[in-house]
Amino acid sequence: MQIDPPTSPKGRPQRVTVLGATGSIGSSTLDVIARHPDRFEVFALTAASRVEELLDLCQRFRPRYAVIDAVHASRLAAGLRERGVATEVLSGPQALCDVSAASEVDAVMAAIVGAAGLAPCLSAARAGKKLLLANKEALVVGGELFMRTVQQGGATLLPIDSEHSAVFQSLPDDPATWSARVDKVILTASGGPFRQRDPSTLADVTPEQACAHPNWVMGRKISVDSATMMNKALEVIEAKHLFGLAPEQIDVVIHPQSVVHSMVQYRDRSVVAQLGTPDMRVPIAYGLSWPERIESGAQVLDFLTLGALTFERPERARFPGLFLAWDALNGPPGTPAVLNAANEVAVEAFLAGRLRFDRIHAVNRATLETCLPSNPDGLEDLLALDQRARAVAQQQVARWM
């Protein structure tokens, strides 16, 4: 993992591209940026289809570029002209890569959900950017290719997921010492909305119930992943690549209060943890300002009113998807990409009312067993594998409908 401090721009704020600006991570990122106008300015904002939200953001932050899908580009451009905003509108996958690798950009917040975020992340890595990674799938799908690109491009990779940011903050400064000093990392999970619900009742779960996270405000897809703990499965895979760990060196515990964001256990059995309020602005502010620290806007953690901190072992019967992480890591190269594609299809089907909540795992498991990867080499192979896995997963969804 490359963690050398980036070269700071002299005499001007850092220019930031925000991929996925209208999502929850994008919104939190822009909130932090707005608190520090002397330190940051927005170079580009991207969204998939939320025209009105992107219009408002462009009017407020005045980026040089806005990227949206081709279907909505003309509407966005017309709206910007009506508001007198000079932001240039771009569209298409290549535009995402262009605004991530542009020579004027210092930092890229990668917050596009799903495998669609892989290509612009690779572009930012090749261009040696300070890459703030909130897209799990870039590492889950890209794996060794992504980490190799980061190293070759001289990029600075900083994890933004609260768990991986916590691990990063709890590790020694020198990555060369990690293998000799670290026993394992322990990722914490809230347990989501169904932590205490009888697993036999999960067939009746609605999308609204699955998206009602008790601690975090998140998008619908990641909220469902939290309810199944598939988000934690993806984070286990991500941690393996980020920190150069063996699968058996990664553990998961349920921590309902979401105050301890993750821990590192050292060889001498001491444990270092990072604590904070459950607010994504904290790891975002840390990533934006690293190696410094700046005010995030989050509330101070009040130990006098905190109450008990509890920890539980995840139950396989309630969260079977979690345990697919180690199956994927121990499978042939490309297996994590298959798991990610299957899960995206299954969650989309659940949110659309075409698949029962308790059958998300069945689709994921069946796709892993059916779609065998063929040692993908390069981005084209990974994207082809992703599409093949999605087709298999769609067949599995149809089987369970």
Side-chain angles (χ1 to χ4, degrees), residues 99-171:
V99 297
S100 300
S103 59
E104 301 96 322
V105 172
D106 302 301
V108 176
M109 169 57 76
I112 294 177
V113 175
L118 176 57
C121 282
L122 285 170
S123 292
R126 282 191 212 97
K129 302 302 180 184
K130 177 180 176 180
L131 179 55
L132 312 179
L133 189 66
N135 173 286
K136 295 180 179 63
E137 294 82 4
L139 269 173
V140 173
V141 177
E144 288 81 4
L145 170 66
F146 182 79
M147 295 305 296
R148 187 167 62 248
T149 304
V150 167
Q151 184 176 18
Q152 292 172 348
T156 297
L157 180 62
L158 296 167
I160 298 301
D161 273 348
S162 61
E163 296 81 2
H164 299 98
S165 177
V167 170
F168 180 65
Q169 294 179 58
S170 302
L171 284 167

